[in-house]
Amino acid sequence: MSQNSQTPRGEMVTFMLNGAEVQADPNWNLLEAIQFYGIDIPTLCYDEGLTPYGVCRLCVVEIGSGDRTKLVTSCMHPVREGLEVRTHSNRVIKTRKMIMELLIARCPSSKKLQDMAALLELKEVRFKPLNDDCILCGLCVRMCEEQMVAKAIGFAGRGTDRYITTPFDMTSEECRRCGACMYICPACELRCQGPQAETVLCSGCINTEPVCASEYGDAMCFMVPCLSCVKGPEDVK
Amino acid sequence: MTVDESRLDSIIDEYNAEPGSLISILQDIQAEYNYLPAESLEYVASRLNIPRVQVFGVATFFKAFSLKPKGKQQIHVCMGTACHVRGSKRVLEELERKLEIKAGDTTENGEYTLETVNCVGACALGPVVVENEEYHGQMTPIKVENLLNGK
Ligand code: SF4
Ligand code: SF4
Ligand code: FES
Ligand code: FES
C-alpha cells in the first residue's frame, strides 16, 4: 500500500467512482484507485509488487453509463478522465459470484478461495468440483521471476492442459528453495477441516451459534476478517 | 540422442540468436530432428540467454512441437465436425488396431506416429487422413489397410 498511501502529486484525472467524483494519478490502474479510496473489492491474481496479469477476473467492475456499460478487470484498466466506474452494481456482483463459483469448483481445498467465497456470500456451487490444486493465477511465476529473479517455474501446455511446472518437469537447478512461490500461492493454504469439511463450499461455521471462534477453536477457521464479526451473527443466515 | 551443437549453432545464428525468434528456431530444430530433443532446448535457452522454463513453455504450448521422437510416417486423422459425422472415429479405431498404438503415440519401431487433428480444411473430402502432408479423402476402415501398405 506504500505507493498508494502517499498523496498523489502532479496532473490528476477526475472520474466517477460509485457516483462520487474522485481524482487519481493517471499512472494508476483502476484497482489502485479503487483501493486508494478505501473500497474493498476481491482480487486474486493481483499483487502490488508484481506486474498485473488479469487472469482471475475477480476484480471486475462496470464502466460506462446508461445502456453502454461493460465489465472490465480493474487491475488491467487504466484510470481515465471522465470514466464512470461502479464496483458493486448488480451486474458486477452477479459476475463476481459466478467467477468465484468457477474458481471454487476448480480448487475447493483452498482456504483463501473459501474465505473469499464466504465474504461474497456464495451459497452454492453448481459445477462439478475438479479438486485441482492450482487455479493458474500465475502469482508464483511472477513472484519467482520478478521478485526472486530465479525464473525457475513457468506455465507449460495450453488450454485445459495448462499447468505450472519447472523446466522439463524436473527438479530445477534455478530454484533456490526460497519458498516465495508457496508463500504467495492462494491455493496452497488448505481450508479448515471444520464441521463440514467434505462439502465443496465451506462457510459451514457461520451457521453455527454462538459464532465466536473460542468455542470452535478446533475448527481452525480463523477467517480474516471473521464473517460473523463483520456482519454480526443476526445478519447471517 | 545426442544433438549436433554446430548444427544448432547454425540454426540459431540464422536468427542472430534473437530471443524473439524462439518459435522459428524451434520450428527449424523440429524440422531437423522430427522432434525437439531436450538437450537442444537446453542449448537454445543458454544461447538465447532466456530462462529454460520459457523454452519449455513454448515447446509444450504448440501442437506442432513434440518433445518425444516422432515416427517416419506421421498419420493425422481428422476428427473435425464434418469428418466426425462421416465416421472418422471408425477410421481412427481401425488405425489404432492395425498399428497397435493409441492416438498420440508412436509405434515401437519408430515407423508411425498416429495423431488426431480438428479439421484440416478439406471437409468436403471427409473423412480425411493426412499422411506426411498427403491428403487421403473419403477414408473408410477398409482403405486403412491400403494406406498403410503405401498404396
Ligand atoms: S522456491 Fe524456487 S520456484 Fe519458488 S519462488 Fe523460490 S526460486 Fe522460484
Ligand atoms: S501454484 Fe498457486 S500461485 Fe501458482 S498459479 Fe497455481 S494457484 Fe497461482
Ligand atoms: S485481480 Fe484483476 S484479474 Fe485477477
Ligand atoms: S472436419 Fe475434417 S477436414 Fe474439416
Side-chain angles (χ1 to χ4, degrees):
Chain A
M1 216 18 87
S2 56
Q3 156 195 12
N4 287 8
S5 49
Q6 288 158 11
T7 319
R9 291 201 200 102
E11 280 289 292
M12 301 294 263
V13 292
T14 306
F15 67 99
M16 300 294 285
L17 181 55
N18 291 343
E21 193 178 290
V22 296
Q23 291 195 311
D25 187 313
N27 296 320
W28 288 355
N29 57 46
L30 260 183
L31 180 63
E32 284 174 302
I34 289 166
Q35 290 180 339
F36 178 81
Y37 286 102
I39 298 172
D40 195 19
I41 61 171
T43 65
L44 204 56
C45 68
Y46 178 78
D47 187 276
E48 282 158 44
L50 304 173
T51 320
Y53 196 45
V55 287
C56 76
R57 318 307 284 182
L58 264 181
C59 67
V60 282
V61 295
E62 193 176 6
I63 61 171
S65 57
D67 296 340
R68 300 171 58 103
T69 67
K70 60 175 178 179
L71 296 175
V72 297
T73 46
S74 59
C75 69
M76 299 292 280
H77 201 284
V79 287
R80 267 199 237 108
E81 186 72 36
L83 269 184
E84 275 187 45
V85 183
R86 279 172 306 283
T87 60
H88 287 77
S89 65
N90 283 339
R91 188 172 170 204
V92 169
I93 288 173
K94 210 173 143 205
T95 311
R96 221 176 255 158
K97 283 175 112 167
M98 173 57 92
I99 297 168
M100 198 67 235
E101 201 175 326
L102 287 160
L103 287 169
I104 287 274
R106 180 174 174 108
C107 192
S109 60
S110 153
K111 170 169 167 56
K112 178 140 189 193
L113 290 182
Q114 291 289 354
D115 286 2
M116 289 173 87
L119 283 171
L120 285 174
E121 299 185 45
L122 200 65
K123 293 277 160 55
E124 55 170 349
V125 175
R126 290 158 293 179
F127 306 101
K128 200 169 138 247
L130 271 185
N131 296 319
D132 208 312
D133 51 12
C134 172
I135 51 164
L136 300 174
C137 69
L139 277 172
C140 54
V141 175
R142 282 172 287 151
M143 183 63 139
C144 185
E145 176 171 349
E146 296 173 19
Q147 295 290 347
M148 300 306 145
V149 205
K151 301 180 185 161
I153 45 177
F155 288 99
R158 76 165 152 183
T160 49
D161 296 328
R162 206 158 190 244
Y163 66 106
I164 298 283
T165 188
T166 52
F168 309 101
D169 299 330
M170 292 195 287
T171 313
S172 114
E173 299 148 24
E174 290 93 333
C175 172
R176 39 181 94 115
R177 319 269 187 282
C178 65
C181 48
M182 285 188 274
Y183 167 78
I184 202 158
C185 175
C188 272
E189 190 184 352
L190 293 183
R191 68 193 260 194
C192 105
Q193 300 296 308
Q196 294 186 8
E198 68 284 3
T199 55
V200 182
L201 203 55
C202 177
S203 75
C205 313
I206 61 173
N207 300 320
T208 52
E209 297 259 0
V211 283
C212 206
S214 61
E215 296 269 332
Y216 293 92
D218 291 347
M220 300 195 317
C221 180
F222 309 120
M223 186 171 155
V224 203
C226 169
L227 201 65
S228 34
C229 306
V230 182
K231 295 188 165 280
E234 60 284 354
D235 299 331
V236 187
K237 274 201 300 304
Chain B
M1 160 145 207
T2 45
V3 293
D4 177 2
E5 290 194 357
S6 61
R7 181 73 196 102
L8 291 180
D9 276 330
S10 69
I11 292 176
I12 296 168
D13 290 334
E14 226 171 279
Y15 298 95
N16 301 322
E18 266 298 322
S21 304
L22 176 61
I23 294 175
S24 314
I25 293 172
L26 295 187
Q27 275 176 325
D28 287 3
I29 298 175
Q30 168 98 20
E32 176 89 16
Y33 294 100
N34 235 345
Y35 78 111
L36 298 174
E39 300 88 345
S40 73
L41 296 182
E42 301 261 2
Y43 192 71
V44 168
S46 70
R47 277 287 323 266
L48 302 191
N49 204 9
I50 53 178
R52 291 192 304 152
V53 74
Q54 185 181 338
V55 180
F56 183 69
V58 170
T60 53
F61 186 88
F62 295 101
K63 234 185 157 179
F65 296 138
S66 167
L67 298 180
K68 285 188 285 179
K70 290 223 177 165
K72 289 198 206 85
Q73 313 285 330
Q74 299 191 25
I75 302 185
H76 296 267
V77 184
C78 180
M79 290 303 208
T81 316
C83 294
H84 175 83
V85 297
R86 295 195 196 172
S88 61
K89 195 153 171 259
R90 275 178 286 130
V91 175
L92 177 67
E93 280 166 4
E94 182 66 16
L95 276 161
E96 288 183 333
R97 197 162 34 238
K98 282 254 149 65
L99 296 173
E100 295 174 2
I101 50 173
K102 287 273 160 223
D105 292 344
T106 302
T107 51
E108 250 168 54
N109 59 12
E111 201 59 36
Y112 290 101
T113 295
L114 182 62
E115 268 171 300
T116 60
V117 284
N118 295 318
C119 194
V120 292
C123 306
L125 296 179
V128 179
V129 172
V130 186
E131 190 195 19
N132 290 345
E133 322 259 297
E134 196 183 321
Y135 285 58
H136 301 267
Q138 272 124 27
M139 281 299 293
T140 60
I142 295 170
K143 288 194 191 166
V144 162
E145 178 92 59
N146 292 343
L147 179 79
L148 295 181
N149 293 335
K151 281 179 210 154

